[in-house]
C-alpha cells in the first residue's frame, strides 16, 4: 500500500446550480477509495477567466489525504467529473462553461510532469480563483517553483472574488 500523501484539489463550475454541484462533489471526493477529506474551503463566486463571456464560476479547494498515487487520484477525479455530467474532449472550448472541473493542484511536495499529469497545476500560481480558496485552507503550502500559496496570491489580482454565504 502506498504511503499517505497530502493533495489539494481545486473545484469549479458554472453550469446549473454550481454551488450545489460543488457541495455534492466535495461529498463524492470524501468517498474516494483510500482517501479522506481533511479540510474544504468555503465556496467562492469568481469571475470567468480566459473566456469571460460566460457566467461567473463557483470555486473551492479541498485538502485530501490519500494513499492513491497521483495518476490514480487524477483518474478518480476525472471519474467524479463524468458522474456529474462533465465530458472532456478536444472539441470542448478551452476555459468554457462546465458543470464540474476538478483540478489536481498539488500532490505531496514535489513536481510531476508526465503526459496528461502536471503537478503543481501549471497555472495555479497565476489564478486567483484557485489561490483564494487554497489560501483559506493552507496559506503556507508551497507551490513548487513559486513559493507559498499566500505569496502567489499577493502577486495576482483577486478582484471580484467573493465568498458565498
Amino acid at each position: 500500500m502506498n504511503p499517505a500523501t497530502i493533495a489539494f484539489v481545486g473545484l469549479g463550475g458554472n453550469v446549473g446550480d454550481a454551488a450545489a454541484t460543488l457541495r455534492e462533489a466535495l461529498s463524492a471526493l470524501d468517498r474516494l477509495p483510500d482517501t479522506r477529506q481533511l479540510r474544504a474551503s468555503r465556496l467562492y463566486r469568481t469571475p470567468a477567466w480566459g473566456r469571460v463571456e460566460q457566467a461567473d464560476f463557483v470555486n473551492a479547494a479541498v485538502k485530501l489525504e490519500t494513499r492513491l498515487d497521483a495518476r490514480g487520484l487524477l483518474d478518480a477525479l476525472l471519474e467524479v467529473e463524468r458522474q456529474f455530467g462533465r465530458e472532456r474532449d478536444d472539441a470542448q472550448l478551452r476555459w468554457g462553461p462546465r458543470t464540474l472541473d476538478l483540478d489536481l493542484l498539488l500532490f505531496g511536495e514535489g513536481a510531476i510532469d508526465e503526459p496528461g499529469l502536471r503537478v503543481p497545476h501549471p497555472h495555479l500560481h497565476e489564478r486567483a480563483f484557485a489561490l483564494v480558496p487554497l489560501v483559506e485552507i493552507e496559506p503556507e503550502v508551497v507551490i513548487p517553483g513559486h513559493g507559498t500559496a499566500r505569496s502567489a496570491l499577493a502577486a495576482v489580482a483577486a478582484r471580484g472574488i467573493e465568498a458565498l454565504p
Side-chain angles (χ1 to χ4, degrees):
M1 181 176 280
N2 291 327
T5 301
I6 299 298
F8 293 87
V9 175
L11 300 86
N14 71 339
V15 173
D17 186 346
T21 298
L22 264 63
R23 287 184 189 102
E24 291 174 27
L26 285 166
S27 293
L29 293 178
D30 202 29
R31 293 189 302 272
L32 291 178
D34 299 317
T35 301
R36 69 183 178 111
Q37 189 177 121
L38 299 178
R39 186 151 187 226
S41 73
R42 295 175 287 176
L43 302 182
Y44 290 87
R45 181 178 330 296
T46 65
W49 190 91
R51 297 177 50 86
V52 297
E53 66 286 349
Q54 60 182 315
D56 286 349
F57 277 76
V58 176
N59 289 97
V62 62
K63 179 180 181 179
L64 303 173
E65 180 182 70
T66 185
R67 292 193 180 279
L68 299 173
D69 63 17
R71 180 69 64 181
L73 180 57
L74 177 62
D75 290 346
L77 297 177
L78 295 174
E79 178 56 32
V80 171
E81 284 184 351
R82 282 189 290 277
Q83 291 169 7
F84 282 84
R86 172 82 187 270
E87 294 183 27
R88 290 180 179 249
D89 60 43
D90 293 337
Q92 182 180 23
L93 292 175
R94 188 170 186 171
W95 302 313
R98 73 253 346 248
T99 55
L100 179 63
D101 188 29
L102 299 174
D103 288 326
L104 182 53
L105 303 176
L106 298 165
F107 188 84
E109 297 177 357
I112 301 169
D113 190 356
E114 300 173 359
L117 176 60
R118 291 184 61 200
V119 179
H121 188 280
H123 302 288
L124 172 58
H125 65 285
E126 304 170 327
R127 295 180 173 171
F129 66 83
L131 289 168
V132 168
L134 180 60
V135 166
E136 178 188 330
I137 61 174
E138 194 91 9
E140 300 306 317
V141 67
V142 173
I143 302 168
H146 299 285
T148 67
R150 183 192 312 267
S151 64
L153 179 58
V156 298
R159 290 183 302 276
I161 296 177
E162 59 186 41
L164 295 179

